[in-house]
Amino acid sequence: MIEREEYQQYIKKNSPKSPMVRTLVAAFIVGGVICCIGEAIGDVLKVIFKAMTEKDVAIWESCIMIFLGSLLTALGLYDKIGHFAGAGSIVPITGFANSIVSPAMEFNREGVFFGVCAKMFVIAGPIIVFGTVASFLVGLIGWFTTL
Amino acid sequence: MRTIFFKKPIYVKSGFTIVGPKEADGNFGDCFDVCLKDDLWCEKSYEKCESKMHRDAITGAICKAGLKKQDIDFMLAGDLINECAPTALAARNFPTAFFGLYNACSTFTEAVLLGSCLIDGGFAQNVTCSTSSHYSSAERQYRYPLELGNQRPPTAQWTVTGAGCTVLSSEKPVLANFQVYEDDIIAIDKNLNIDEKTLEKYKKSIEKQKKVINLGKSNINSANFDKTNNDYGNNPKYYVKIVTGTVGKVVDLGIDDESNMGAAMAPAAFETLTTFFEDTKTSPNDYDGIFTGDLGRFGKQTLEYLMQKEGITMPKYYLDCGASYYEPEQKTFQGGSGAGCVNTAFNGYILKNLQQGKYKKIIVLATGALLNKDTPLQKETIPGIAHLFSIETEEP
Amino acid sequence: MEIFLNYLKVFAIGGFVCMLGQILINKTKMSSARILVLYMLVGVVLEVSGAFQYIKEFAHSGISIPIIGFGSNLAKGALEGMKEEGLLGAISGGLSAVAAGLTTAITCGFVFGLISKSHSKKI
């Protein structure tokens, strides 16, 4: 029988790989288009609500993008975009929305409490935890430096 | 010795398959008995649908064998979901002794081997061996939610939505057509003590369920069935019997990528195959059909490489059920996998070809990757297992 | 013309950021959750180092729509809170800066999770 190391080498060398060019182009185009949609929403908001500050526009922009990502997920379209685009639809904020809504929909059948609510953070949980801890550390270190 | 030579002939009485819509479009699409148009089959969850498919595959196989539920001595069944829940839920509809089995995707061959042992030992006359798997229920348990927008890696396999059942018997099967009607499959949990209103509701639900199923082209009742030109007709010409079997052992060569099951299972398949050839003193060329379970395209290539290294060339007609299950344009990458893969391929394609005399002496081997969702996270490698049985046909 | 150039910048930077993620997926087989966490931490680092502001002035949504923007908001909120309210601000600032987005995401998750079920897949 083949040796362990030799077999692992063989598998590593011969396993089918993702087609680089196609996936990179797809990720580039879809990612770019999603960012452009966000920018367009921001521009429209600026035109409609002239009094809005730059900061508020940015917040509204990301909220609307999150809503759109969730809506596409609920309609069952986001996974098809993701199948084509890969990171192009994971990295934008809509991908974050997708990672919250998709488990909630998946575990809908297990009820509201332990299905929708508990399983909602199966994928997005690490993002929220890492984000919260990182922001706390940044604030804490900043506070120490001002002392 | 790990190879079991059965002393009595163990006949395959019948096989019955129910598959989902994607499988019906695949390569074996013409050979299945029932194809669903919707993979929920009027149920509320995918697990419930899987359980129903499993139940109805067993019922269909019993009908097709010309038997009744009471004639079955033991049921051997399994699936992929936690604690074999869909199987157990299906088994509660039968008044039969029940073994729940789990060996990942090789559960079917395990069931057939154990069933043959039961018959060979004289403990049973008729035994059902069944397994089921469902893409959507397996995906949510082993991987990610269906709606998550991620890309499946190119080494990934597609869990087959399907259930199948084989009836093994110590008696020769009757070489005749046993018609299986829609009513036989669907209307089995008929409760006689229900009031009018519930009965009305029940009838309506059955009508609704009938709309979702397509009786396969192979079924005698199907309108477009052509007796003369169809190889997959229900007119068996040969007796099919199981002669030997090799029980696999768990082999682990340190593959830790859970999306590359073919690589994890190929060494186990290699180990079982070489042991079988050694024990029976045969070579691949003594068989006119070699079918492995769900290694996938890359796994098949790996197995061929491993055999080549040992000096055994796999013949051209060697077929991997998983790799051949879907058409390339169905974008499953490596092909099918899951407990239903080799099962539906065997009961659909292989068994019908055996009964028609296209194959005389074949090997069926199914492989399984033994992992759960947590073991890869605990930095465990993935062990594989493979069970094998060989089949011969007998002229009447 | 200026608008066109602006969108071109957004498209190029946004696409480039996503393309880097795709290279990571292809090469290391990272899952989507790990990609998201990594990018968010990159955002935190970019904000703290001060680079984020320059990229944002150049590319606008091209850098703030990817989850990098979420990470930078977290860090920015914590630093601003620290300046205004001291230690308490450092603790509460991060999450309050992203509270709107987080609330939208969780509410959408709850509502859509209740009214919609996962659809069966064919590809």
Side-chain angles (χ1 to χ4, degrees):
Chain A
M1 190 134 183
I2 193 166
E3 289 300 314
R4 241 177 124 89
E5 272 72 41
E6 196 189 344
Y7 185 66
Q8 285 174 21
Q9 289 292 327
Y10 171 83
I11 294 300
K12 219 176 198 174
K13 214 177 122 200
N14 290 287
S15 283
K17 312 265 184 313
S18 302
M20 263 298 189
V21 177
R22 195 201 70 78
T23 52
L24 291 194
V25 169
F28 187 88
I29 290 174
V30 175
V33 166
I34 290 176
C35 292
C36 284
I37 292 171
E39 180 76 6
I41 288 171
D43 283 354
V44 170
L45 283 176
K46 267 184 226 159
V47 172
I48 299 175
F49 306 100
K50 291 202 173 70
M52 214 183 253
T53 62
E54 192 83 358
K55 200 178 157 191
D56 286 0
V57 168
I59 291 175
W60 275 111
E61 193 184 312
S62 57
C63 286
I64 291 170
M65 287 307 279
I66 288 173
F67 174 76
L68 288 179
S70 309
L71 188 68
L72 286 178
T73 308
L75 295 174
L77 298 173
Y78 207 86
D79 63 320
K80 293 188 176 69
I81 301 173
H83 178 80
F84 171 72
S89 59
I90 291 172
V91 172
I93 196 88
T94 46
F96 174 66
N98 172 253
S99 73
I100 287 191
V101 179
S102 63
M105 282 165 67
E106 185 67 53
F107 293 93
N108 171 301
R109 297 178 173 101
E110 274 74 32
V112 178
F113 256 67
F114 294 104
V116 175
C117 298
K119 296 283 169 79
M120 195 186 282
F121 301 105
V122 170
I123 294 156
I127 304 157
I128 295 171
V129 172
F130 269 93
T132 310
V133 174
S135 85
F136 172 64
L137 284 180
V138 166
L140 195 70
I141 294 166
W143 184 68
F144 272 120
T145 52
T146 53
L147 283 181
Chain B
M1 193 153 71
R2 275 161 51 202
T3 303
I4 306 165
F5 295 88
F6 298 114
K7 289 181 196 79
K8 290 184 197 165
I10 313 239
Y11 293 102
V12 176
K13 255 200 154 165
S14 68
F16 196 83
T17 46
I18 301 180
V19 297
K22 187 168 170 135
E23 289 65 28
D25 294 339
N27 276 326
F28 298 137
D30 291 348
C31 328
F32 299 125
D33 292 293
V34 175
C35 303
L36 303 179
K37 291 176 201 161
D38 162 28
D39 69 353
L40 261 178
W41 204 0
C42 307
E43 288 293 333
K44 287 207 171 67
S45 78
Y46 296 115
E47 283 82 358
K48 282 187 183 172
C49 171
E50 183 176 345
S51 166
K52 188 150 110 182
M53 278 160 61
H54 201 138
R55 178 193 77 188
D56 296 352
I58 300 175
T59 320
I62 295 173
C63 284
K64 219 171 161 184
L67 297 171
K68 290 196 174 64
K69 274 187 199 178
Q70 291 75 15
D71 299 331
I72 304 298
D73 300 306
F74 292 100
M75 285 165 62
L76 298 111
D79 64 78
L80 298 177
I81 304 305
N82 284 337
E83 281 81 50
C84 292
T87 307
L89 296 181
R92 69 183 169 187
N93 295 295
F94 296 90
T96 315
F98 166 69
F99 286 109
L101 308 175
Y102 181 82
N103 239 323
C105 313
S106 66
T107 311
F108 177 64
T109 38
E110 185 195 11
V112 169
L113 281 179
L114 289 174
S116 306
C117 290
L118 282 172
I119 293 172
D120 196 45
F123 304 109
Q125 197 177 12
N126 299 309
V127 169
T128 63
C129 310
S130 58
T131 56
S132 63
S133 61
H134 195 298
Y135 174 76
S136 305
S137 65
E139 202 67 10
R140 79 204 293 248
Q141 180 184 317
Y142 287 102
R143 285 173 276 268
Y144 302 108
L146 291 176
E147 298 292 344
L148 187 70
N150 61 342
Q151 255 171 348
R152 295 166 62 244
T155 48
Q157 285 171 289
W158 188 279
T159 307
V160 167
T161 302
C165 177
T166 305
V167 178
L168 300 178
S169 176
S170 54
E171 298 176 325
K172 278 187 182 172
V174 187
L175 294 183
N177 291 320
F178 280 99
Q179 301 196 348
V180 181
Y181 295 98
E182 285 167 329
D183 286 327
D184 289 331
I185 311 161
I186 294 166
I188 65 154
D189 46 2
K190 208 172 274 176
N191 192 343
L192 292 175
N193 300 325
I194 45 176
D195 55 276
E196 292 264 306
K197 220 175 165 185
T198 332
L199 192 71
E200 206 54 40
K201 232 177 165 180
Y202 185 70
K203 275 183 184 160
K204 259 188 199 160
S205 103
I206 287 182
E207 282 311 310
K208 213 171 136 195
Q209 288 177 40
K210 271 187 190 172
K211 277 185 195 147
V212 195
I213 70 166
N214 246 343
L215 284 179
K217 283 182 196 147
S218 71
N219 200 292
I220 194 86
N221 292 319
S222 173
N224 50 7
F225 177 73
D226 184 353
K227 264 183 190 169
T228 47
N229 294 329
N230 200 326
D231 283 332
Y232 308 127
N234 271 1
N235 282 314
K237 295 194 185 79
Y238 292 85
Y239 296 120
V240 178
K241 55 180 186 179
I242 292 162
V243 277
T244 49
T246 303
V247 184
K249 63 179 182 188
V250 178
V251 178
D252 187 347
L253 283 187
I255 300 296
D256 54 1
D257 181 3
E258 72 262 36
S259 66
N260 197 352
M261 303 280 206
M265 299 188 293
F270 165 78
E271 209 274 339
T272 307
L273 258 184
T274 44
T275 311
F276 172 77
F277 288 137
E278 218 168 84
D279 289 351
T280 55
K281 300 190 176 59
T282 52
S283 74
N285 295 323
D286 296 333
Y287 298 87
D288 53 10
I290 298 175
F291 301 92
T292 55
D294 43 3
L295 291 170
R297 295 193 177 94
F298 176 60
K300 184 185 176 199
Q301 195 188 318
T302 313
L303 178 65
E304 280 167 339
Y305 167 78
L306 291 174
M307 295 298 269
Q308 195 72 52
K309 252 181 114 66
E310 204 77 351
I312 306 169
T313 314
M314 291 302 270
K316 274 217 173 93
Y317 49 77
Y318 157 51
L319 198 97
D320 185 71
C321 298
S324 317
Y325 212 97
Y326 297 102
E327 308 271 3
E329 51 284 6
Q330 287 180 295
K331 287 187 181 155
T332 55
F333 299 125
Q334 294 303 311
S337 75
C341 176
V342 70
N343 185 346
T344 48
F346 175 76
N347 288 313
Y349 177 76
I350 303 170
L351 182 60
K352 280 166 189 160
N353 277 316
L354 282 165
Q355 287 173 338
Q356 297 303 318
K358 195 179 162 195
Y359 299 120
K360 297 268 182 294
K361 200 177 172 195
I362 63 158
I363 304 172
V364 178
L365 176 144
T367 49
L370 303 171
L371 80 166
N372 67 22
K373 209 183 170 180
D374 298 328
T375 46
L377 297 177
Q378 293 172 8
K379 306 275 178 263
E380 275 290 351
T381 52
I382 304 168
I385 189 157
H387 298 299
L388 174 155
F389 59 82
S390 78
I391 283 187
E392 280 173 21
T393 54
E394 187 184 312
E395 280 184 49
Chain C
M1 193 61 213
E2 204 180 317
I3 284 186
F4 177 74
L5 201 68
N6 187 21
Y7 275 87
L8 196 68
K9 282 182 202 162
V10 172
F11 182 79
I13 297 291
F16 180 70
V17 166
C18 294
M19 199 178 78
L20 286 183
Q22 186 64 38
I23 293 176
L24 275 177
I25 291 182
N26 286 359
K27 289 282 174 204
T28 63
K29 293 188 177 150
M30 274 170 124
S31 62
S32 62
R34 279 173 204 275
I35 294 279
L36 283 169
V37 168
L38 183 77
Y39 266 72
M40 193 204 58
L41 292 178
V42 167
V44 171
V45 172
L46 284 180
E47 178 63 38
V48 172
S49 65
F52 186 80
Q53 221 176 334
Y54 294 106
I55 307 175
K56 194 171 176 198
E57 267 165 29
F58 177 73
H60 308 278
S61 301
I63 194 78
S64 64
I65 286 293
I67 194 122
I68 294 178
F70 185 79
S72 107
N73 272 345
L74 278 166
K76 201 164 143 192
L79 288 175
E80 276 172 7
M82 180 270 298
K83 269 174 208 148
E84 281 163 24
E85 296 170 54
L87 188 57
L88 190 64
I91 296 171
S92 63
L95 275 187
S96 36
V98 294
L102 215 53
T103 308
T104 314
I106 292 173
T107 313
C108 282
F110 184 71
V111 173
F112 288 128
L114 283 186
I115 59 174
S116 179
K117 288 173 190 166
S118 56
H119 306 74
S120 44
K121 252 177 160 177
K122 276 202 116 181
I123 50 158

